[in-house]
Amino acid sequence: MEVANPFDAPDRAPLATDTLRPRPAPPAVEAYRADPDFQYDRPQARGPSVWALVWDWIRRTLFEPIGRYTTLSFWEAVLVAVAVGALGWVVSRLVGAGGSGVFAERQAAGAAPLLDAEDIAEVDLGARLAAALDGGDLREAVRVRYLLVLQALDAAGALAWRRDKTNRQYVGEVAASRADLAPPFRSVTRAFDAVWYGERPVPTALYAELAPLFDRASP
């Protein structure tokens, strides 16, 4: 038995085309349509950034010609020149900071004047020590006590004092001339460096501990 197709029925009326209306899209769909990231049918060309263009120009203008017209020996010479320049800068900074000797300028506020004398034997360091102790400036007292040790060692011929020498030079001279004084002088030099250049405060108890060091380092 043949089954009839219902759409072939002569009594069924055709659908009216004027009754079809499109349903509005949900608001979420309209939001996606407005978002450029979801507009796949309208791709946007994305070129390189401004920084990429600048770097590409620098590479083509500067680095490529340098690499093309230079050799390995040239770069070795450049590295040597840079190393020498850096070393010279470091040395100039050290010299400009006043060196590391006892007579180097102190950077703290209220720094004491430098001991600017050609002959340390002519300086009345005893009077300076008394003034520092009377004023309660124990850091300055430590400095003067160290100068008194240098003055005594210079008088004994254990070192040759000169205002532009460093403490390390004095330690070497004492070690070569007076082996018996070398250990205490090395200890008192370390203590002086910690107090003076390390900007360490000196309370009364610390000064009392340092005083015997100065006594042992003097001939």
Side-chain angles (χ1 to χ4, degrees), residues 108-177:
L114 302 181
L115 183 61
D116 190 11
E118 295 297 334
D119 189 355
I120 193 173
E122 298 177 355
V123 181
D124 187 0
L125 294 174
R128 297 194 179 197
L129 178 60
L133 293 175
D134 291 342
D137 189 354
L138 296 184
R139 288 188 72 251
E140 175 64 13
V142 169
R143 173 178 181 265
V144 177
R145 288 293 300 267
Y146 188 72
L147 291 172
L148 282 167
V149 172
L150 293 181
Q151 188 181 60
L153 291 171
D154 178 73
L159 59 80
W161 179 84
R162 199 173 64 231
R163 59 185 178 181
D164 59 347
K165 281 186 178 180
T166 65
N167 297 343
R168 180 174 298 181
Q169 289 176 297
Y170 290 134
V171 169
E173 292 180 15
V174 174
S177 61

Side-chain angles (χ1 to χ4, degrees), residues 73-117:
S73 59
F74 169 80
W75 288 111
E76 291 177 350
V78 169
L79 291 177
V80 170
V82 171
V84 171
L87 179 61
W89 180 83
V90 171
V91 172
S92 66
R93 294 289 295 178
L94 291 176
V95 173
S100 58
V102 62
F103 309 114
E105 182 177 1
R106 191 170 69 179
Q107 299 300 321
L114 302 181
L115 183 61
D116 190 11

Side-chain angles (χ1 to χ4, degrees), residues 17-72:
T17 58
D18 59 350
T19 61
L20 298 178
R21 296 290 186 271
R23 296 179 61 186
V29 174
E30 295 298 332
Y32 283 122
R33 286 178 178 175
D35 192 339
D37 292 337
F38 293 93
Q39 296 175 1
Y40 303 110
D41 57 334
R42 298 188 297 273
Q44 298 179 358
R46 296 183 178 180
S49 63
V50 175
W51 169 247
L53 293 174
V54 172
W55 178 250
D56 183 67
W57 178 85
I58 294 175
R59 178 182 56 81
R60 289 184 289 102
T61 306
L62 182 62
F63 293 108
E64 287 186 357
I66 291 177
R68 188 180 303 116
Y69 298 110
T70 57
T71 61
L72 180 60

Side-chain angles (χ1 to χ4, degrees), residues 171 181-193 210 213 216-217:
V171 169
L181 294 177
F185 180 67
R186 189 179 300 109
S187 297
V188 78
T189 299
R190 284 197 298 266
F192 167 77
D193 288 342
L210 294 177
L213 294 179
R216 288 195 297 268

